[in-house]
Amino acid sequence: MVAEDDERIPAAAARPSAFPATRLSVCEAVRSGDPAVRRVGWDALVEAYWKPVCRYVRLRWRADGEEAADLTQGFFARALEKEFFESFDPQRARFRTFLRVCLDGFVANVRQSAARLKRGGGAAPVALEPETAGAPLADGDLDACFHREWVRALFDAAIGDLRARCESEGKRQHFELFRKRDLEAAESDAPPSYDELARDSGLPVTQVTNLLAWARRALREAVLARLRALCASEQEFRDEARALLGFTPP
Protein backbone atom coordinates (compact mmCIF):
# COMPACT_ATOMS: atom_id res chain seq x y z
CA MET A 1 0.00 0.00 0.00
CA VAL A 2 1.11 3.60 -0.53
CA ALA A 3 0.66 6.23 2.13
CA GLU A 4 0.08 9.23 -0.13
CA ASP A 5 -1.43 9.82 -3.56
CA ASP A 6 1.79 11.20 -5.04
CA GLU A 7 4.40 8.70 -3.82
CA ARG A 8 4.62 7.02 -7.18
CA ILE A 9 4.83 10.09 -9.41
CA PRO A 10 7.36 9.32 -12.17
CA ALA A 11 10.72 11.01 -11.58
CA ALA A 12 10.55 12.87 -14.90
CA ALA A 13 7.34 14.54 -13.80
CA ALA A 14 9.01 16.05 -10.73
CA ARG A 15 11.65 17.99 -12.69
CA PRO A 16 10.85 21.68 -13.27
CA SER A 17 12.98 21.46 -16.43
CA ALA A 18 10.44 19.06 -17.93
CA PHE A 19 8.02 21.93 -18.54
CA PRO A 20 7.99 23.62 -21.96
CA ALA A 21 10.09 26.76 -22.00
CA THR A 22 8.17 28.34 -24.90
CA ARG A 23 4.59 29.40 -25.45
CA LEU A 24 3.82 26.05 -27.02
CA SER A 25 1.05 24.62 -24.84
CA VAL A 26 1.11 21.13 -23.39
CA CYS A 27 -2.05 20.43 -25.38
CA GLU A 28 -0.13 21.14 -28.60
CA ALA A 29 3.10 19.50 -27.48
CA VAL A 30 1.56 16.09 -26.74
CA ARG A 31 0.22 16.02 -30.31
CA SER A 32 3.40 17.23 -31.97
CA GLY A 33 5.00 15.27 -34.79
CA ASP A 34 8.42 15.99 -33.29
CA PRO A 35 9.27 13.14 -30.87
CA ALA A 36 11.41 15.42 -28.66
CA VAL A 37 8.64 18.00 -28.32
CA ARG A 38 6.10 15.25 -27.75
CA ARG A 39 8.20 13.74 -24.95
CA VAL A 40 8.59 17.07 -23.18
CA GLY A 41 4.87 17.65 -23.53
CA TRP A 42 4.02 14.28 -22.00
CA ASP A 43 6.42 14.80 -19.10
CA ALA A 44 4.80 18.17 -18.46
CA LEU A 45 1.31 16.71 -18.73
CA VAL A 46 2.06 14.02 -16.15
CA GLU A 47 3.70 16.55 -13.84
CA ALA A 48 0.69 18.87 -13.97
CA TYR A 49 -2.07 16.27 -13.72
CA TRP A 50 -0.74 13.30 -11.75
CA LYS A 51 -1.91 14.48 -8.33
CA PRO A 52 -5.30 15.83 -9.51
CA VAL A 53 -5.99 12.60 -11.41
CA CYS A 54 -4.96 10.38 -8.50
CA ARG A 55 -7.05 12.34 -6.02
CA TYR A 56 -10.03 12.38 -8.38
CA VAL A 57 -9.84 8.60 -8.87
CA ARG A 58 -9.90 8.10 -5.11
CA LEU A 59 -13.01 10.25 -4.72
CA ARG A 60 -14.95 9.56 -7.91
CA TRP A 61 -14.15 5.84 -8.16
CA ARG A 62 -13.69 5.19 -4.43
CA ALA A 63 -10.28 3.60 -4.91
CA ASP A 64 -7.77 3.17 -2.12
CA GLY A 65 -4.32 4.73 -2.42
CA GLU A 66 -2.65 1.78 -4.12
CA GLU A 67 -5.39 1.23 -6.68
CA ALA A 68 -5.62 4.96 -7.40
CA ALA A 69 -1.88 5.08 -8.09
CA ASP A 70 -2.14 2.02 -10.35
CA LEU A 71 -5.07 3.51 -12.26
CA THR A 72 -3.34 6.85 -12.61
CA GLN A 73 -0.19 5.27 -13.95
CA GLY A 74 -2.21 3.04 -16.26
CA PHE A 75 -4.25 5.97 -17.54
CA PHE A 76 -1.25 8.03 -18.59
CA ALA A 77 0.46 5.01 -20.14
CA ARG A 78 -2.69 4.12 -22.08
CA ALA A 79 -3.29 7.72 -23.12
CA LEU A 80 0.20 7.89 -24.58
CA GLU A 81 -0.12 4.53 -26.31
CA LYS A 82 -3.58 5.17 -27.79
CA GLU A 83 -3.19 8.92 -28.34
CA PHE A 84 -6.25 9.81 -26.29
CA PHE A 85 -5.77 13.53 -26.73
CA GLU A 86 -5.48 13.65 -30.52
CA SER A 87 -9.19 14.46 -30.77
CA PHE A 88 -9.11 17.32 -28.26
CA ASP A 89 -10.85 20.45 -29.58
CA PRO A 90 -10.08 23.62 -27.56
CA GLN A 91 -13.21 25.24 -28.97
CA ARG A 92 -15.43 22.72 -27.20
CA ALA A 93 -13.91 22.39 -23.71
CA ARG A 94 -10.98 23.13 -21.46
CA PHE A 95 -8.25 20.54 -21.69
CA ARG A 96 -8.65 19.43 -18.08
CA THR A 97 -12.36 18.79 -18.71
CA PHE A 98 -11.52 16.69 -21.76
CA LEU A 99 -8.88 14.83 -19.75
CA ARG A 100 -11.45 14.01 -17.06
CA VAL A 101 -13.80 12.54 -19.65
CA CYS A 102 -10.97 10.36 -20.99
CA LEU A 103 -10.06 9.35 -17.45
CA ASP A 104 -13.59 8.32 -16.53
CA GLY A 105 -13.83 6.22 -19.69
CA PHE A 106 -10.53 4.52 -18.93
CA VAL A 107 -11.40 3.68 -15.31
CA ALA A 108 -14.88 2.46 -16.30
CA ASN A 109 -13.32 0.08 -18.81
CA VAL A 110 -10.81 -1.19 -16.25
CA ARG A 111 -13.57 -1.78 -13.72
CA GLN A 112 -15.72 -3.58 -16.27
CA SER A 113 -12.81 -5.83 -17.20
CA ALA A 114 -12.23 -6.55 -13.52
CA ALA A 115 -15.90 -7.42 -13.10
CA ARG A 116 -15.72 -9.88 -15.99
CA LEU A 117 -12.65 -11.51 -14.43
CA LYS A 118 -14.45 -11.75 -11.12
CA ARG A 119 -17.37 -13.54 -12.77
CA GLY A 120 -15.07 -15.85 -14.75
CA GLY A 121 -14.52 -19.39 -13.56
CA GLY A 122 -11.36 -19.97 -11.57
CA ALA A 123 -10.39 -16.31 -11.48
CA ALA A 124 -9.22 -14.78 -8.24
CA PRO A 125 -11.73 -12.37 -6.64
CA VAL A 126 -11.22 -8.73 -7.62
CA ALA A 127 -12.12 -5.98 -5.16
CA LEU A 128 -14.17 -3.49 -7.15
CA GLU A 129 -15.04 -1.06 -4.40
CA PRO A 130 -12.15 -0.57 -1.94
CA GLU A 131 -13.19 1.14 1.26
CA THR A 132 -12.61 4.85 1.43
CA ALA A 133 -13.68 7.39 4.00
CA GLY A 134 -16.84 9.35 3.45
CA ALA A 135 -19.71 9.17 1.00
CA PRO A 136 -19.36 9.60 -2.77
CA LEU A 137 -19.31 13.20 -3.95
CA ALA A 138 -21.82 14.74 -6.34
CA ASP A 139 -20.72 15.74 -9.83
CA GLY A 140 -20.45 19.41 -8.88
CA ASP A 141 -18.28 18.55 -5.90
CA LEU A 142 -16.09 16.37 -8.11
CA ASP A 143 -15.63 19.23 -10.55
CA ALA A 144 -14.62 21.52 -7.71
CA CYS A 145 -12.31 18.89 -6.24
CA PHE A 146 -10.53 18.26 -9.52
CA HIS A 147 -10.10 21.98 -10.11
CA ARG A 148 -8.84 22.51 -6.56
CA GLU A 149 -6.25 19.74 -6.92
CA TRP A 150 -5.24 21.08 -10.32
CA VAL A 151 -4.66 24.55 -8.86
CA ARG A 152 -2.72 23.07 -5.95
CA ALA A 153 -0.49 21.10 -8.31
CA LEU A 154 0.03 24.23 -10.43
CA PHE A 155 1.18 26.31 -7.47
CA ASP A 156 3.32 23.50 -6.03
CA ALA A 157 5.15 23.24 -9.36
CA ALA A 158 5.53 27.02 -9.60
CA ILE A 159 6.99 27.12 -6.08
CA GLY A 160 9.45 24.45 -7.20
CA ASP A 161 10.38 26.67 -10.14
CA LEU A 162 10.88 29.61 -7.79
CA ARG A 163 13.09 27.54 -5.50
CA ALA A 164 15.19 26.38 -8.46
CA ARG A 165 15.50 29.94 -9.77
CA CYS A 166 16.59 31.26 -6.37
CA GLU A 167 19.20 28.50 -6.13
CA SER A 168 20.59 29.21 -9.59
CA GLU A 169 20.63 33.00 -9.14
CA GLY A 170 22.12 33.03 -5.64
CA LYS A 171 18.88 34.23 -4.06
CA ARG A 172 18.46 31.59 -1.39
CA GLN A 173 17.68 34.21 1.23
CA HIS A 174 14.83 35.50 -0.93
CA PHE A 175 13.24 32.07 -0.96
CA GLU A 176 13.89 31.44 2.74
CA LEU A 177 12.10 34.65 3.69
CA PHE A 178 9.27 33.81 1.31
CA ARG A 179 9.03 30.31 2.79
CA LYS A 180 8.83 31.59 6.35
CA ARG A 181 6.46 34.45 5.69
CA ASP A 182 4.16 33.16 2.95
CA LEU A 183 4.37 29.37 2.73
CA GLU A 184 4.42 28.67 6.44
CA ALA A 185 1.79 31.37 6.98
CA ALA A 186 -0.72 29.14 5.22
CA GLU A 187 -0.31 26.62 8.04
CA SER A 188 0.00 29.06 10.91
CA ASP A 189 -2.32 31.54 12.57
CA ALA A 190 0.62 33.74 13.46
CA PRO A 191 3.20 34.07 10.66
CA PRO A 192 6.40 35.89 11.59
CA SER A 193 6.22 39.66 11.29
CA TYR A 194 8.56 41.63 9.06
CA ASP A 195 10.33 42.82 12.20
CA GLU A 196 10.85 39.21 13.34
CA LEU A 197 12.14 38.18 9.93
CA ALA A 198 14.51 41.14 9.91
CA ARG A 199 15.83 40.28 13.36
CA ASP A 200 16.30 36.59 12.56
CA SER A 201 17.99 37.24 9.22
CA GLY A 202 20.12 40.20 10.32
CA LEU A 203 18.62 42.40 7.60
CA PRO A 204 16.87 45.77 7.83
CA VAL A 205 13.09 45.63 7.51
CA THR A 206 13.20 47.55 4.24
CA GLN A 207 15.43 44.89 2.69
CA VAL A 208 13.18 42.09 3.95
CA THR A 209 10.27 43.89 2.30
CA ASN A 210 12.17 44.20 -0.98
CA LEU A 211 13.28 40.56 -1.02
CA LEU A 212 9.76 39.34 -0.30
CA ALA A 213 8.36 41.59 -3.03
CA TRP A 214 10.82 40.11 -5.53
CA ALA A 215 9.98 36.52 -4.52
CA ARG A 216 6.25 37.16 -4.85
CA ARG A 217 6.68 38.69 -8.30
CA ALA A 218 8.88 35.78 -9.34
CA LEU A 219 6.29 33.28 -8.10
CA ARG A 220 3.56 35.07 -10.03
CA GLU A 221 5.73 34.88 -13.17
CA ALA A 222 6.27 31.14 -12.58
CA VAL A 223 2.55 30.54 -12.09
CA LEU A 224 1.72 32.41 -15.28
CA ALA A 225 4.36 30.51 -17.27
CA ARG A 226 3.00 27.19 -16.05
CA LEU A 227 -0.58 28.26 -16.59
CA ARG A 228 0.07 29.47 -20.13
CA ALA A 229 1.57 26.10 -21.05
CA LEU A 230 -1.48 24.28 -19.65
CA CYS A 231 -4.06 26.35 -21.52
CA ALA A 232 -5.15 25.52 -25.03
CA SER A 233 -5.78 29.11 -26.10
CA GLU A 234 -4.80 32.66 -25.22
CA GLN A 235 -8.35 33.43 -24.09
CA GLU A 236 -8.43 30.43 -21.78
CA PHE A 237 -5.09 31.53 -20.33
CA ARG A 238 -6.38 35.04 -19.67
CA ASP A 239 -9.59 33.74 -18.10
CA GLU A 240 -7.73 31.29 -15.87
CA ALA A 241 -5.20 33.93 -14.81
CA ARG A 242 -7.97 36.34 -13.89
CA ALA A 243 -9.75 33.67 -11.85
CA LEU A 244 -6.58 32.52 -10.05
CA LEU A 245 -4.64 35.74 -9.58
CA GLY A 246 -7.29 38.43 -9.84
CA PHE A 247 -5.90 40.22 -12.90
CA THR A 248 -5.67 39.77 -16.66
CA PRO A 249 -2.08 39.48 -17.89
CA PRO A 250 -1.03 41.68 -20.84
Side-chain angles (χ1 to χ4, degrees):
M1 299 291 289
V2 292
E4 299 292 340
D5 291 353
D6 58 338
E7 281 193 16
R8 293 164 59 182
I9 296 176
R15 296 196 301 268
S17 59
F19 225 74
T22 70
R23 288 198 172 198
L24 182 68
S25 77
V26 169
C27 313
E28 296 170 292
V30 298
R31 298 183 290 174
S32 172
D34 184 331
V37 173
R38 194 178 182 89
R39 182 70 265 170
V40 171
W42 272 99
D43 286 346
L45 179 74
V46 173
E47 179 186 7
Y49 284 99
W50 183 279
K51 288 183 180 179
V53 164
C54 200
R55 180 62 175 163
Y56 175 80
V57 169
R58 295 194 70 171
L59 291 171
R60 166 67 176 85
W61 294 95
R62 299 184 62 74
D64 63 18
E66 186 171 5
E67 187 194 16
D70 285 341
L71 288 168
T72 300
Q73 183 172 341
F75 169 69
F76 285 114
R78 189 70 169 172
L80 175 60
E81 177 189 0
K82 296 298 184 180
E83 300 180 340
F84 281 180
F85 307 130
E86 287 294 319
S87 61
F88 169 65
D89 181 357
Q91 301 301 318
R92 299 182 63 182
R94 283 185 167 89
F95 182 74
R96 66 171 180 269
T97 302
F98 182 80
L99 183 144
R100 263 192 59 190
V101 172
C102 294
L103 173 63
D104 281 334
F106 169 80
V107 178
N109 287 335
V110 170
R111 287 287 177 85
Q112 288 170 5
S113 296
R116 286 194 294 270
L117 285 174
K118 184 177 181 180
R119 291 192 298 267
V126 176
L128 299 182
E129 296 292 337
E131 292 185 4
T132 54
L137 298 179
D139 287 344
D141 294 329
L142 287 168
D143 288 338
C145 173
F146 191 79
H147 180 261
R148 183 171 59 251
E149 293 300 321
W150 179 79
V151 170
R152 182 177 300 168
L154 171 70
F155 274 86
D156 284 349
I159 290 168
D161 292 341
L162 173 62
R163 181 186 294 108
R165 178 178 175 182
C166 289
E167 288 284 339
S168 66
E169 296 181 6
K171 292 183 169 69
R172 293 181 179 179
Q173 194 164 42
H174 295 62
F175 187 82
E176 185 63 15
L177 290 170
F178 174 75
R179 181 185 66 79
K180 290 180 178 179
R181 173 67 188 186
D182 289 0
L183 299 185
E184 293 183 356
E187 302 176 0
S188 172
D189 294 331
S193 67
Y194 282 38
D195 286 336
E196 290 172 324
L197 290 173
R199 184 176 61 251
D200 293 344
S201 61
L203 298 173
V205 173
T206 53
Q207 190 170 356
V208 168
T209 301
N210 290 336
L211 297 188
L212 281 172
W214 179 91
R216 289 162 180 163
R217 285 195 304 272
L219 177 63
R220 185 165 62 248
E221 292 169 5
V223 169
L224 288 173
R226 292 259 170 183
L227 183 61
R228 186 184 292 279
L230 290 175
C231 292
S233 68
E234 186 67 18
Q235 187 58 53
E236 181 183 340
F237 165 67
R238 293 166 68 83
D239 291 344
E240 293 281 16
R242 184 168 57 250
L244 290 176
L245 301 175
F247 73 96
T248 303

